[in-house]
Structure formats: C-alpha cells, structure tokens
Amino acid sequence: MATEYARQTGDQRAPDDRPRRRHVLPPALRAPVEARTWREFGYLLLSLPVSVLFFVFAVTMTSLGMGLLITFLGVPVLAACLAGCRGFGAVERARARGMLKLDVADPAPVRVKPGGGPMSWMVAMLKSGTSWRHLLYAVLHLPWAVFAFSVSLVLWSYGWAMLTYPLWQWVFPAYVGVDGIQLFGDSTHHIYLDEAGELAVTSAFGLLLTLATPWVIRGLVTVDRVLVTGLLGPSRLATRVSELESDRGVVVDTAAADLRRIERDLHDGAQARLVALAMDLGLAKEKLTQDPEAAARMVDEAHGEVKIALQELRDLARGIHPAVLTDRGLDAALSAVASRCTVPVQVEVDLPARPAPAIEGIAYFTVSELLQNVSKHARASRATVEVWQTADRLMLQVGDDGQGGADTTAGSGLAGLAERLDAVDGILVVDSPAGGPTTVTAELPWRG
C-alpha cells in the first residue's frame, strides 16, 4: 500500500501503464539498424586505440617503476602509474556510461591522512586494491579489445558488403575490367559472382550475416561490461560498507524522527491535558468550601480529562512498542492492529517461532502502516495480512481490493518504509496496477 494513491481521472495513467511503442519488425530484424547496435559497435571499434594507449602507459610505467625499486625513485613512479590507471579507468567508465548505458559507480577515492604529504599519498596509492585492479584492467583489456575489434569489424563489413553486393557489383566492369568478385581462378578457369542467381545467394548470405552480427556484438560487449564492472567499479566490500553507512544514516534519522514525534505528542497531547487538569483541580480546591456543587462539576470534568490523557498515553506507548507484541507475539499484535482497520482484515500468521525482537517490531510497524494506508487511501472493501517464514527470511504480505495506483516515488510514506526495511537488509515490493488490487510484499531477515 502506498501512502499516497494515484488519483485516476480521465485519461491519466499510472507510470507503469503508459503504452509502449509498438514495432512493426521483430527484434531479430530490427537489431542491425537499432541505435543500441551502432553504439555497441562503435564502443568495440574505439576500444582498440584506447586500450593500446592504456596498455602502453601501464606496462611502460610499471616496468620502469619495478626497475627503479632498487632506488627510492621506483615508489613515486609506481604511484604515478596507478594514479594514471585510475584516470584511464574514469575515462572507461564514462565511455561505458555513454555508449553502453552501463552505470558503474566510481570507486572510493584513495584515503590519505590529513597533512601526510606526498609520501602519505604514495603509500595510500600503493596500498589501494582498487588502483591495482585498474592496472590489471589495462593489461587484460588489450588482447580482448584486439579480438573484439577484429571479429566485430570483419562480421559487420562482410555482412553489409555481401548484403548490398547487387547494388555495387556494377563497378567491377567499369573500373577493374572483370565481371564481379572472383571466387576462384587459375590459368584456365575463373569464377566470378556475376550471375543473377549468384547475386541473390550472396545477398541472402549477407543478410543472414548482417542479422547475426548484432547478437555477436552484444555477446562481445557483455565481456566488456563484466570487465568494467568487476575491475573499474567499487569492490563488493566497499559497496557493502557504503550501504551500511547509508543504512546507519537512515536508522539514525528514523530514530530522531520518532523521538521528535514522541516529544510532540507528549507536549501537545498528554502534557497539555495534565496541565489543564492541574489548573482545574486547583480551581476546584478553591471552590470546595464556597461552592461545593461547582467544585464537584470541575472534579468530574477533571476525571474525564484524566481518562482522555490516559488513553493518549496508552496510544503513545502502543506506538513506541505495544505490550501485546512483547507478551504474545506477532499473531496477537497484528490481530489487534487489524481490528482497528476500517475494512475487514483477514490475518494469517504461520511462524514456527518468534524472530528477533527488533525484526518483530519492524514487522509489526510495517503491517500497521500498510493497514493505515488501506484505511485512508485504498477505498477497499477488504484486506488480507499473511506472515510466514521462508528459510532465514520473514515474509509479510498485505493486500487489498482497492483502487490501486500505489506510489513508491520519493516523498511518499511507502518510500520511507522501504528505506527503513533496507536499513536491516529488508526488501519492499509493491504490485499496484491502476484499478487494483494492491499487494505489498516485505521481506526481512529472520535473526531468531
């Protein structure tokens, strides 16, 4: 369920329902003239000169640095070599981003101690595994670039040349003095491609080669994608550290937001009522001897305020962590949440044991927020909640028969919910076509 549902009016469509452009030709026939094929072919052609330059620089500087290691000069030369390789890597990532539409994140910069000077920079560069991976890319990519360049250029050239051969075959008698391309020749016999049937067979074979070439090019480019992603992108460890840092920031921001919400609820709700209650009781105390009936009325009103304040405190405590969740687990807690929903909710919880308390709390508040969205925005007549365990994962699924159009874009409550789940290695998947129904599936680590 999204916090904000798309309002369906007139011809408005949800983003996923926008009509896609239909092509007359199937993909196999479109491939030779598609922009993607030309971009990938251009990438392979450009890879050879770029790789030659990259390889020559890397090998020359590495050999020079290794040879000079007997003196101190080898250290700055190797550091400069690695720095240059990182620069070439930035060029390759930009080239892959522009021509292959491959978005590879930049690796983490070399961390130099503040005030360490040139020596600190050189040591950090030599200790950087990312820099050495860039050097490895420079060495490995040249032979692959030569192979990919040769195969793609030969197939592309021969395919289009043979396909269009009937269009330019006429140039041979005028300029070469022969009847066509010679397939065989010796002192007595010569075979030329000049008959109508031969022209048709040549063109047909060229068509097959032209249709097959884009798929060969895509296969070759796949290897380049792997090399760029694996050697020029951030390592898995660095990516994981970045994710954990981001998740930590989300957790801190969420905790701070919850504290502000609790403070605001206490200040504007229970605290204000208790202050008013103290003032009313003070006035009642003064009137107790002079006007007992008015004092009794004021005490009665104060009694009502106490009940309301207690209810607000209970709701606030339930919002922090409900007691029923701690005492009886998810089944009872989710049933209590479902009972407060404005539509009938069927709850099914099938768990062999209780997960970790933190995961249990996140699961509870996830379902609670999703059911609140059902009540406020879905316009549904019924909803379902299912909870089960799969291997080491806790699965939640909330569905409704409402209007659909759930929005997961930034700024919606659902986007914030996805960030909270991501902070604990959770996943949120929304299936909400326009017109409904809506199904939201959440996956959390078990950690029992």
Side-chain angles (χ1 to χ4, degrees):
M1 250 57 53
T3 298
E4 299 178 359
Y5 277 72
R7 298 184 181 274
Q8 306 300 322
T9 57
D11 294 332
Q12 292 180 354
R13 295 183 176 94
D16 294 339
D17 295 333
R18 289 178 295 184
R20 296 180 180 179
R21 184 177 61 180
R22 295 184 177 181
H23 297 278
V24 178
L25 298 176
L29 298 180
R30 295 198 313 267
V33 295
E34 280 186 329
R36 172 185 174 181
T37 302
W38 289 91
R39 287 197 311 268
E40 293 176 344
F41 180 55
Y43 180 88
L44 294 179
L45 294 184
L46 189 59
S47 290
L48 182 59
V50 171
S51 295
V52 169
L53 181 62
F54 200 175
F55 180 86
V56 170
F57 172 83
V59 171
T60 302
M61 293 293 288
T62 302
S63 302
L64 181 62
M66 291 294 184
L68 291 175
L69 278 180
I70 193 172
T71 66
F72 177 76
L73 294 177
V75 174
V77 170
L78 281 178
C81 172
L82 295 177
C85 289
R86 291 178 71 102
F88 277 112
V91 174
E92 286 292 88
R93 287 191 298 272
R95 196 164 65 93
R97 190 178 299 114
M99 304 185 73
L100 301 183
K101 305 302 179 184
L102 177 64
D103 192 8
V104 179
D106 294 336
V110 176
R111 296 185 177 182
V112 183
K113 294 181 180 180
M119 190 61 191
S120 178
W121 175 83
M122 287 186 289
V123 172
M125 185 65 67
L126 293 175
K127 292 172 61 177
S128 171
T130 301
S131 302
W132 290 101
R133 284 193 285 112
H134 281 65
L135 176 62
L136 180 62
Y137 176 88
V139 176
L140 294 180
H141 193 251
L142 177 62
W144 171 251
V146 172
F147 174 79
F149 176 92
S150 303
V151 172
S152 61
L153 184 60
V154 168
L155 292 179
W156 189 275
S157 302
Y158 273 81
W160 283 102
M162 295 175 70
L163 175 62
T164 59
Y165 178 63
L167 300 178
W168 54 270
Q169 182 265 345
W170 59 271
V171 304
F172 283 97
Y175 297 102
V176 187
V178 297
D179 297 330
I181 295 179
Q182 179 177 319
L183 290 183
F184 174 78
D186 56 15
S187 58
T188 57
H189 295 86
H190 299 277
I191 300 177
Y192 297 96
L193 294 177
D194 55 356
E195 300 293 336
E198 296 171 345
L199 295 179
V201 172
T202 302
S203 184
F205 187 78
L207 176 61
L208 295 177
L209 194 59
T210 301
L211 294 177
T213 299
W215 305 102
V216 176
I217 290 176
R218 292 184 184 182
L220 297 174
V221 167
T222 300
V223 178
D224 282 275
R225 291 175 180 270
V226 173
L227 289 174
V228 172
T229 303
L231 296 179
L232 301 184
S235 63
R236 291 184 178 180
L237 178 59
T239 302
R240 183 57 179 163
V241 170
S242 178
E243 291 176 353
L244 291 176
E245 290 178 348
S246 176
D247 292 344
R248 182 183 61 184
V250 171
V251 171
V252 172
D253 293 341
T254 301
D258 289 339
L259 288 176
R260 289 193 299 268
R261 176 183 59 82
I262 294 170
E263 180 183 6
R264 184 179 61 253
D265 292 343
L266 285 173
H267 183 271
D268 297 340
Q271 182 178 347
R273 291 189 180 278
L274 291 175
V275 171
L277 175 61
M279 295 176 62
D280 290 343
L281 289 177
L283 293 175
K285 181 180 179 181
E286 293 178 359
K287 291 181 177 292
L288 186 59
T289 56
Q290 300 175 359
D291 190 355
E293 294 182 1
R297 288 194 302 270
M298 297 180 69
V299 171
D300 186 61
E301 293 175 359
H303 182 255
E305 289 292 328
V306 170
K307 290 182 178 179
I308 296 175
L310 287 175
Q311 183 60 41
E312 290 181 351
L313 289 174
R314 291 194 190 97
D315 294 339
L316 184 60
R318 187 184 298 114
I320 298 174
H321 194 85
V324 65
L325 178 63
T326 303
D327 298 337
R328 301 174 57 187
L330 273 176
D331 195 352
L334 295 183
S335 297
V337 172
S339 66
R340 297 192 295 270
C341 188
T342 58
V343 300
V345 181
Q346 180 182 356
V347 180
E348 293 185 8
V349 178
D350 182 15
L351 297 177
R354 296 182 62 171
I359 300 300
E360 199 173 49
I362 293 174
Y364 170 83
F365 288 110
T366 298
V367 175
S368 178
E369 183 169 344
L370 293 175
L371 289 182
Q372 286 181 14
N373 293 331
V374 172
S375 300
K376 296 177 181 179
H377 309 289
R379 298 180 184 177
S381 60
R382 61 183 179 84
T384 59
V385 176
E386 299 181 30
V387 182
W388 71 97
Q389 181 187 7
T390 300
D392 59 345
R393 308 292 286 181
L394 175 64
M395 307 296 297
L396 313 172
Q397 192 171 82
V398 179
D400 69 75
D401 59 353
Q403 65 181 356
D407 183 13
T408 58
T409 56
S412 70
L414 193 59
L417 188 59
E419 290 180 354
R420 292 192 181 191
L421 294 181
D422 186 62
V424 292
D425 289 336
I427 301 173
L428 189 73
V429 179
V430 180
D431 180 17
S432 182
T438 296
T439 303
V440 180
T441 304
E443 180 180 334
L444 292 166
W446 179 258
R447 296 178 186 172

